[in-house]
Amino acid sequence: MPSLEVLSKDTQRISVKLKGVPLQYANALRRICLNGVPVFAIDTVDIIENSSVMSDEGIAHRLGLIPIKTDLKRFAEPSKCACQSKTGCSNCRVMLVIDSGNTDSTRIVTSAEMSSEDETIKPVSDKIPIVQIAPGQKVKLEAYARLGRGTDHAKWNSANISVLTHTDKPEEYILTVETTGALAPEQIVVSAIDELEQRLEEFKGMIAELKA
């Protein structure tokens, strides 16, 4: 019987031993852990004011790459949300705001200045630099985060690394996953298992339809 044993775990990384699992399924699980589990990332940015030396596009790009803490129980992916709206709703989108205000000295605007309308959905760190502003310069914007998957864009990768190594025994592998911080590492593995199961059921359904 297939089994899973946790070998080590901390806030950033988890290593599990997979027993009785064929290589193709173990590798599919590895790939889903990397880019198949939905997490929040900033997808749309409305620049209200930007007098810094960095372009609007440059700031938007940096914001998109900031890992965002994710709650999969309370929010839905846009494609699965009941609103079915292009702009999203409170169940599938979260707004984060930056207003640097006026400054008298050169300083760096960091992720600590990102104010979220939902306290659970926020940057994983408050020390991530976004843009440097000089005296007289200002940045004010609204950013909208939504759930997505790394298969669409790397900014939605749930893991930094997802590595599968073979042991000396047949159909036994060690899966090591390091989170971006959006989800706890054990959440990534559990969600990936659920996702793999769902995909296999959908595939079985497609095969059944072909045979019918």
Side-chain angles (χ1 to χ4, degrees), residues 72-90:
L72 294 177
K73 294 181 180 179
R74 295 177 49 229
F75 295 91
E77 293 179 77
S79 61
K80 299 177 182 178
C81 185
C83 76
Q84 290 299 298
S85 169
K86 291 183 179 180
T87 57
C89 68
S90 59

Side-chain angles (χ1 to χ4, degrees), residues 52 59 62-63 66 97-101 103 106-114 126-134 137-141:
S52 73
I59 292 177
R62 286 196 172 187
L63 291 172
I66 295 176
V97 176
I98 292 179
D99 186 353
S100 69
T103 180
T106 299
R107 71 179 186 86
I108 296 176
V109 178
T110 69
S111 53
E113 296 178 59
M114 297 179 69
D126 60 3
K127 299 179 180 179
I128 301 172
I130 298 172
V131 61
Q132 181 171 282
I133 56 176
Q137 296 179 347
K138 182 180 181 180
V139 173
K140 185 177 182 180
L141 58 84

